[in-house]
Amino acid sequence: PDNPLSFFSWVTINPQMSPLTWEQLKSGAPTTRSPDVQQAYDHYKLRLRRAGYTVGYVVSQELASKWGGRRQWALTVNPFPYDLAEGINHYIIWFKPSDARLTQIRVALAVHEIWPTATRGIVWKVNPASHRSVLSVPHAHVFVNSKIV
């Protein structure tokens, strides 16, 4: 990556995957990364720690330029995606930190704004706090089945 500490510049990672199917995602199966992606993510976090940063800090800095106007969210490709079947894209919707809690309604409204004509083929989840590496910026993982949407 151009900036080795940049969170979003890591999107070029393309590991061999043992995919989670669309049906498993829809049923709420636990999501995990492939060993290669998890290793890359762990390495990235270690490099940040050694440089005196956290993932949350870097993400906050990179998203600062994306907030604007009335929009209270930003969409990115997940640079360290979960292990998903071909044709399932993994995005993250980041919400501008505020006093408002991240609710399913807020996520649904953002998803509808991004994909206004999609009535199916999109699943999202908000990880419990104990499973988030970025606590400072509310976010939801969004999975889009490109064969449907």
Side-chain angles (χ1 to χ4, degrees):
D2 294 337
N3 176 353
L5 300 181
S6 173
F7 183 77
F8 299 114
S9 65
W10 285 85
V11 297
T12 56
I13 294 171
N14 188 13
Q16 298 292 325
M17 295 181 133
S18 304
L20 193 63
T21 68
W22 184 246
E23 291 305 316
Q24 290 169 316
L25 267 177
K26 287 189 338 184
S27 71
T31 50
T32 59
R33 293 177 177 92
S34 71
D36 289 344
V37 172
Q38 188 61 54
Q39 182 179 8
Y41 190 38
D42 292 343
H43 177 72
Y44 171 72
K45 292 188 294 184
L46 178 63
R47 290 175 65 187
L48 285 182
R49 273 196 304 276
R50 287 181 177 160
Y53 299 106
T54 65
V55 175
Y57 173 79
V58 172
V59 167
S60 294
Q61 295 302 303
E62 292 187 14
L63 288 173
S65 66
K66 296 184 183 292
W67 310 130
R70 292 180 36 223
R71 183 171 294 160
Q72 297 294 303
W73 54 264
L75 179 72
T76 64
V77 171
N78 188 338
F80 301 99
Y82 294 145
D83 203 359
L84 306 170
E86 186 176 332
I88 302 173
N89 300 308
H90 185 177
Y91 300 94
I92 303 175
I93 299 177
W94 303 93
F95 291 87
K96 189 173 185 176
S98 67
D99 293 335
R101 285 189 22 219
L102 181 57
T103 64
Q104 292 295 326
I105 292 172
R106 281 183 74 193
V107 176
L109 290 171
V111 166
H112 180 70
E113 191 173 336
I114 298 164
W115 294 280
T117 60
T119 57
R120 57 191 189 97
I122 299 176
V123 173
W124 65 83
K125 70 182 267 183
V126 176
N127 286 335
S130 61
H131 288 83
R132 289 183 214 150
S133 52
V134 179
L135 290 169
S136 58
V137 184
H139 60 283
H141 294 266
V142 181
F143 309 99
V144 178
N145 188 333
S146 61
K147 297 174 184 175
I148 299 173
V149 175

